[in-house]
Amino acid sequence: MPIPPRVLTVAGSDSGGGAGIQADLKTMLALGVHGMSVLTAVTAQNSRGVQGAWPLPAEAVRAQFRSVVDDIGVQAVKTGMLASAELVETVAGLLADVEAPVVCDPVGISKHGDPLLAASARDALRLGLLPLATLATPNLDEVEWLTGVRVSGEPDMRRAADAVLELGPQWVLIKGGHLDGDAVDLLTNGTTERWLRAPRHDNRHTHGTGCTLASAVASGLARGHSVPDAVAAAKEYVTGAIAGGFALGEGIGPVDHGWRWR
């Protein structure tokens, strides 16, 4: 049997199954790659929000990473919730010796507005992790948190992209989903620019979109696709997942990772 491409997610657990490690692995399965995980934190989380979060010791994160990478190997890595400055620094140190492409989703705040990254971790993310990223995928709130640039419309997105690129990633995808109108994102490496647009679906159940998109890009990169091609395919996948998002619990439900099968 052929061995599928291997993708590693380094992120936190969402007990409600809509985001985090759970969303990452569902996305990877749907896109035909073998997903592996390094758990950074455990959250008590449901459709209404995050009730608690507990970072794992750096030693546990380091041991998980070495166990997977040294034996199985990876063809792409996706980072998500890293919880603390110590864990950001730990993960950056581990990734420094990895040749596979890295997709960094700088998770700072959950869909419900709950903090998922300590404020003290910003400098570690800016100085340690983002310079290692093949692609960074911040939403507009994360752009402002990282760079101070506030995006209020499409004309601001180029300025936001330039500010994030100054932090060192090879490519940046500025996600404009919080703007009015179509769901528009800007992908650029400072030279090449690509705008990605999709119709906005009238569906409030969008929990896990950021994790899903970053994992889908990592899956494409593991297959050998270029960054623009991987991002375009990921945008198509997450747009379908948002259209299929369903109610779960009393709050915001998850996107449908298996929408192509239904």
Side-chain angles (χ1 to χ4, degrees):
M1 294 292 292
I3 299 173
R6 291 145 289 161
V7 182
L8 177 65
T9 169
V10 183
S13 168
D14 173 1
S15 56
I21 287 281
Q22 288 83 349
D24 296 340
L25 294 177
K26 291 173 186 178
T27 299
M28 293 170 191
L29 176 62
L31 297 179
V33 301
H34 176 68
M36 305 170 292
S37 62
V38 169
L39 193 64
T40 59
V42 175
T43 69
Q45 188 172 168
N46 56 27
S47 68
R48 293 174 295 182
V50 180
Q51 291 77 46
W54 298 268
L56 269 65
E59 179 183 1
V61 171
R62 191 177 296 110
Q64 291 175 82
F65 187 94
R66 291 265 63 94
S67 178
V68 171
V69 173
D70 294 348
D71 175 47
I72 301 172
V74 295
Q75 290 164 295
V77 180
K78 176 260 180 180
T79 68
M81 176 188 177
L82 299 180
S84 68
E86 181 184 17
L87 290 185
V88 174
E89 292 167 356
T90 297
V91 171
L94 292 167
L95 291 176
D97 296 325
V98 172
E99 295 183 0
V102 175
V103 178
C104 177
D105 183 16
V107 177
I109 302 173
S110 78
K111 179 70 67 178
H112 306 87
D114 302 296
L116 296 176
L117 184 67
S120 60
R122 178 168 57 183
D123 285 345
L125 189 62
R126 287 164 47 97
L127 301 175
L129 188 58
L130 285 175
L132 301 174
T134 306
L135 172 70
T137 63
N139 63 30
L140 302 186
D141 291 335
E142 291 157 352
V143 166
E144 185 173 2
W145 185 72
L146 288 169
T147 69
V149 174
R150 175 173 294 182
V151 176
S152 57
E154 284 189 34
D156 300 324
M157 293 178 71
R158 283 195 181 95
R159 186 164 55 94
D162 289 341
V164 176
L165 285 172
E166 287 182 4
L167 300 177
Q170 297 174 31
W171 291 80
V172 61
L173 179 68
I174 303 296
K175 299 181 296 190
H178 294 171
L179 299 176
D180 294 332
D182 288 346
V184 58
D185 306 323
L186 172 60
L187 173 69
T188 182
N189 63 358
T191 302
T192 299
E193 179 179 286
R194 185 167 181 177
W195 292 85
L196 300 101
R197 298 180 184 274
R200 187 176 299 278
H201 295 286
D202 185 18
N203 186 355
R204 66 188 291 263
H205 302 300
T206 57
H207 186 46
T209 50
C211 303
T212 298
L213 179 64
S215 295
V217 175
S219 298
L221 295 177
R223 289 185 169 279
H225 299 163
S226 67
V227 171
D229 287 347
V231 169
K235 174 79 169 180
E236 179 186 6
Y237 172 75
V238 77
T239 299
I242 291 170
F246 52 91
L248 201 67
E250 299 177 357
I252 300 173
V255 300
D256 183 4
H257 297 93
W259 65 272
R260 284 177 172 159
W261 303 332
R262 304 192 200 289

